[in-house]
Amino acid sequence: MSTPLQSLDIWKQLQKHFGDIHQQHMLDWFQQDKQRFDRFNLTAAGLTLDYSKNRITSETMDLLNQLAKKRNLPEQINALFKGELVNRSEKRPALHTALRNFSDRPIMVDGKDVMPEVRDTMSRMEEFCWKIRRKHWRGYTNKPFTDVVSIGIGGSFLGPKLASSALKPYNDSHINVHYLANIDGSHITEILKHLNPETTLFIVQSKSFGTQETLKNALACRQWFLDNGGVVNDLQKHFAAVSANVEKAVEFGIAEENIFPMWDWVGGRYSLWSAIGLPLAISIGIDNFRNMLRGAHEMDEHFRTAPMEKNMPVIMALLGVWYVNFFNINSQAILPYDHYLRGLPAHLQQLDMESSGKSVGIDGHKVDYHTGPIIWGGVGSNGQHAYHQLLHQGTHFSPSDFILPMRTHNPIDNFHAMLVSNALSQSQALLTGKSKEQALDECLKAGLNKQEAEELAAQKVIPGNRPSNTLYFPKSTPHSVGALIALYEHKVAAQGMLWGINSFDQWGVELGKDMGNNILAALEGEDFNATFDSSTNGLVDAYKTMQDQL
Ligand code: F6P
C-alpha cells in the first residue's frame, strides 16, 4: 500500500463530494428519485440489504467504489481466500473460510492442502455429536448426558453462544448447553448448582489453552466433578477439548481422542465454524450446523466473486468508512429485531472491535485517520425504550443496522407484524424526523397556547436525516444466520483492507493480562509494597480493607 490513504486523489474527491452533499437531506433524495429503494438494494446469500436510507448519492457510491479499487480490494480479497499471510504481525493466513469450504478447491497452507484435515475434523464432530445425541456416550454411572458446559471466552464463547441462541428453534436435542466464560465465582456457581456430575459433559474451548479465565474455570469444573462423586479415571468420559494446543489439553487430563484441533490460521473471533461450534452442533445436530456453514460459504463466494459495486460486505464497509472518516462518527449500532438474534451485538463487538480497534497500519506506521468504530446495540423493540432517544435527538448520530427476519418462528396473533412495524418505523423516523412546524402544529392541536406550544415544540423537534441500513431475510435459519455472521466477518475484513490495518491480530489485549498477574499477587499477598500508581494502590488497599466488611 504505497500512497497514504488521505493523500489519494480519490480521497480528496470524496472530501470535496462530502462538502457538496453532507448538508442535503435524504428525504429530498427520496423525493427526487422514486427508484431510490431499488437503486440501493442488494441481495446475496439469501440476505437483502436496503441501504437507501444512507447519506449517499449514486455519485457517492461511484467514488467509494473507486476508493475500493484504488485500495486494491479485489486483489486483497483474493489474497485472503488464497491463504496469503494477511495476518502479517503473526505471519499467518486468515482462513476461517476454509472451515466452510464446500467447493472442491484445495486451500494451501505452507504448501499443504488443509481441506482433508478440515473434513476429517468435521467427520469427528459428526460422530461426537451423534454419540451424545443418541445417548451412546454416557457418564461414569452409565447415564446419558443431560447437560454440556462449554468453557471458553472471547471467540471461544461469543460465536457459539450467539449461534446457539439464534438457532434455538432448531435445538432438537435433550441436551441443555451452558456457556461458562467469566472469571467470576458467581458465573460458575450459577451454572454448576443446577447440574449433576453424572450427566454433565465439559468442553474446554481454548485455541491457546492458556487463557486465564478458561483454565481457571476448567480446573474448578474438574474439581467440582471430583468433589461430587467423580473420580480421576472418569474424567476422560466427562471432558473434551477444542484447542490448537493439544499437548496442554492432554496435560490437563483430556483424552487425545476427545480433543478437536484448531489451527493457527483461524482467529478466535472467526472460529465458530470450527469445532468451537461443537456445543451448537450438539444442540441443533450436525446437519443444521452444516447448513449454517453453507450459508456462510454462499456469502464467501459472493464476497470473493462479486464486483465491488454489487458486493454486499464491500458496500457495508465503504458506508462505514464514509461515516467514520468523512462524517467523523465513531459509533455503529446493531439492532436485531428478533429475540433469538439478541446476542448478535455482543459477538459483533468482538468481531469488529478486536479486528478494527487498531491505530497502527499494517506497515507499522501510526494511522492519521480514524479506524474501527464503537460497536453497540441490542434487541428491538426493547432498545426503543432505552437508547433510541439518543439515536433520534442526540447531538451526534450513530449509523444503525436493523437486522430483520420477515417471518417469525413463533407466530402469535399479530406480534410479528407489530415487531416489524417497530423496526420499519424507527428506521423511517430516523430518516424523516419531525420539523419545528410539525411539532408546533402538534402542540397547538393538543390545546397549548402559542407560548407554551412554542416552548414545547422546541423540545419535540427531531432532526431526522439519520442513516440506517435494513438487512432483511425471510426467516432466521441455519443458512441465513451463517450468511449473516459471514457478511459481518467480510465487512470487517474489507474495512481493514481500506484502512490498511491488520484485522486478524489483537496485541492490545496482552498488556492488561500481563498487569493482572502483578495485581493479583498484590491483592492476595500479605505485605503489599504499594509500587503502582496511587489509584491502583488505593484500589488494592480498598479491596484488602473491604474483605472484612459486610
Ligand atoms: O481476547 C483475546 C483472545 O485471544 C481472543 O482473541 C480469543 O477469542 C480469546 O482471547 C480466547 O482465546 P483462547 O481461545 O485462546 O482461549
Side-chain angles (χ1 to χ4, degrees):
M1 220 155 291
S2 52
T3 314
L5 183 59
Q6 300 190 100
S7 307
L8 291 173
D9 179 53
I10 185 60
W11 191 269
K12 292 176 179 135
Q13 289 180 58
L14 278 162
Q15 283 174 321
K16 180 184 177 311
H17 177 65
F18 172 78
D20 295 343
I21 73 159
H22 78 281
Q23 289 180 325
Q24 293 176 24
H25 203 295
M26 288 187 279
L27 269 181
D28 295 333
W29 294 335
F30 275 101
Q31 294 299 336
Q32 293 152 17
D33 175 7
K34 301 302 180 199
Q35 303 308 314
R36 188 174 172 86
F37 171 76
D38 295 325
R39 187 180 313 286
F40 297 122
N41 188 290
L42 178 67
T43 295
L47 309 180
T48 301
L49 174 68
D50 166 21
Y51 62 108
S52 60
K53 296 194 187 89
N54 276 289
R55 305 283 288 272
I56 54 160
T57 64
S58 295
E59 184 185 0
T60 318
M61 293 316 294
D62 289 346
L63 291 170
L64 288 171
N65 284 321
Q66 288 179 50
L67 174 66
K69 288 168 185 143
K70 193 68 186 167
R71 295 296 272 181
N72 303 316
L73 257 68
E75 295 79 5
Q76 290 199 68
I77 292 168
N78 190 42
L80 176 70
F81 279 90
K82 273 175 50 186
E84 291 187 18
L85 304 186
V86 294
N87 179 355
R88 199 183 295 184
S89 70
E90 295 180 298
K91 296 183 174 52
R92 293 172 179 171
L95 278 168
H96 40 287
T97 50
L99 301 171
R100 63 230 189 180
N101 171 29
F102 287 91
S103 77
D104 53 11
R105 276 196 317 275
I107 296 186
M108 310 303 284
V109 175
D110 297 333
K112 180 185 160 211
D113 180 7
V114 298
M115 289 314 301
E117 193 179 356
V118 168
R119 293 188 180 109
D120 175 60
T121 303
M122 190 65 182
S123 301
R124 288 186 57 208
M125 286 175 66
E126 181 163 13
E127 185 189 1
F128 182 87
C129 294
W130 188 88
K131 286 195 290 188
I132 291 167
R133 288 162 58 90
R134 289 286 188 283
K135 304 180 183 180
H136 285 226
W137 181 352
R138 291 171 173 247
Y140 69 91
T141 57
N142 203 33
K143 290 177 185 168
F145 292 121
T146 56
D147 293 89
V148 166
V149 178
S150 175
I151 308 170
I153 198 164
S156 300
F157 160 66
L158 288 164
K161 186 170 189 305
L162 158 63
S164 290
S165 160
L167 298 175
K168 192 164 188 298
Y170 298 85
N171 178 348
D172 62 353
S173 82
H174 62 286
I175 305 267
N176 298 307
V177 175
H178 313 268
Y179 287 96
L180 171 57
N182 202 357
I183 186 88
D184 179 338
S186 303
H187 194 184
I188 185 170
T189 301
E190 286 302 324
I191 287 178
L192 294 182
K193 72 182 181 183
H194 300 298
L195 303 186
N196 172 358
E198 297 175 58
T199 61
T200 299
L201 173 70
F202 296 96
I203 304 177
V204 184
Q205 309 252 58
S206 178
K207 178 176 176 182
S208 61
F209 221 88
T211 302
Q212 178 199 58
E213 297 93 334
T214 303
L215 292 186
K216 189 72 178 174
N217 275 317
L219 287 169
C221 287
R222 185 176 185 273
Q223 196 54 52
W224 172 82
F225 176 79
L226 297 174
D227 292 347
N228 291 277
V231 295
V232 173
N233 289 343
D234 297 328
L235 284 170
Q236 304 212 342
K237 285 183 182 166
H238 289 262
F239 278 82
V242 182
S243 184
N245 195 327
V246 174
E247 189 183 331
K248 273 197 171 178
V250 170
E251 207 177 288
F252 178 86
I254 297 171
E256 197 147 355
E257 65 267 21
N258 296 342
I259 299 170
F260 293 82
M262 283 179 79
W263 299 280
D264 67 10
W265 38 265
V266 176
R269 53 192 174 275
Y270 299 91
S271 62
L272 162 63
W273 324 97
S274 73
I276 288 286
L278 263 179
L280 168 67
I282 290 167
S283 292
I284 66 174
I286 203 74
D287 291 341
N288 280 320
F289 184 77
R290 272 204 190 90
N291 286 339
M292 183 186 76
L293 298 182
R294 287 189 189 284
H297 178 62
E298 204 173 316
M299 184 57 73
D300 293 348
E301 289 304 282
H302 167 74
F303 181 50
R304 190 175 65 87
T305 61
M308 294 295 100
E309 63 277 7
K310 291 291 181 196
N311 194 307
M312 193 180 286
V314 171
I315 287 170
M316 289 177 72
L318 290 167
L319 290 170
V321 165
W322 184 234
Y323 293 121
V324 167
N325 298 109
F326 295 89
F327 280 86
N328 199 27
I329 297 289
N330 298 315
S331 167
Q332 169 68 55
I334 305 293
L335 308 175
Y337 273 69
D338 179 276
H339 176 67
Y340 294 126
L341 284 171
R342 62 193 183 281
L344 185 64
H347 174 63
L348 297 188
Q349 279 182 325
Q350 185 199 13
L351 177 64
D352 198 310
M353 296 169 82
E354 199 164 79
S355 298
S356 302
K358 312 283 170 65
S359 50
V360 170
I362 209 160
D363 58 5
H365 298 121
K366 190 163 173 22
V367 296
D368 52 2
Y369 43 82
H370 283 308
T371 56
I374 293 165
I375 306 296
W376 63 283
V379 70
S381 65
N382 300 22
Q384 296 166 211
H385 306 272
Y387 36 76
H388 281 221
Q389 164 61 36
L390 180 141
L391 289 175
H392 290 292
Q393 286 189 323
T395 53
H396 46 220
F397 66 78
S398 173
S400 305
D401 286 359
F402 289 87
I403 314 289
L404 186 56
M406 288 298 189
R407 286 171 47 210
T408 176
H409 285 279
N410 299 294
I412 301 178
D413 193 8
N414 68 333
F415 271 67
H416 198 61
M418 288 179 73
L419 182 64
V420 172
S421 73
N422 272 277
L424 271 49
S425 57
Q426 287 297 311
S427 167
Q428 184 186 38
L430 287 167
L431 165 68
T432 63
K434 181 184 292 182
S435 67
K436 178 71 181 295
E437 294 70 29
Q438 289 169 319
L440 189 57
D441 182 48
E442 195 178 285
C443 293
L444 291 169
K445 281 183 180 153
L448 296 183
N449 65 43
K450 189 110 173 60
Q451 184 187 339
E452 290 165 336
E454 284 287 347
E455 279 176 21
L456 182 55
Q459 303 301 328
K460 299 183 82 170
V461 171
I462 296 178
N465 209 21
R466 299 198 165 184
S468 66
N469 290 317
T470 299
L471 196 60
Y472 57 99
F473 38 97
K475 199 169 185 180
S476 189
T477 65
H479 189 281
S480 58
V481 168
L484 178 67
I485 297 172
L487 166 64
Y488 277 97
E489 287 179 347
H490 296 322
K491 175 209 173 178
V492 166
Q495 280 188 333
M497 295 169 190
L498 290 164
W499 284 322
I501 57 176
N502 180 348
S503 303
F504 302 105
D505 61 9
Q506 54 285 322
W507 298 108
V509 303
E510 300 306 320
L511 178 61
K513 287 181 186 176
D514 297 345
M515 286 179 167
N517 298 327
N518 297 334
I519 291 181
L520 178 62
L523 291 175
E524 294 182 325
E526 288 305 315
D527 54 341
F528 164 51
N529 51 351
T531 57
F532 303 122
D533 58 273
S534 62
S535 166
T536 305
N537 290 340
L539 293 168
V540 168
D541 189 49
Y543 170 83
K544 288 171 170 294
T545 310
M546 290 186 181
Q547 292 317 300
D548 307 326
Q549 293 174 7
L550 278 179

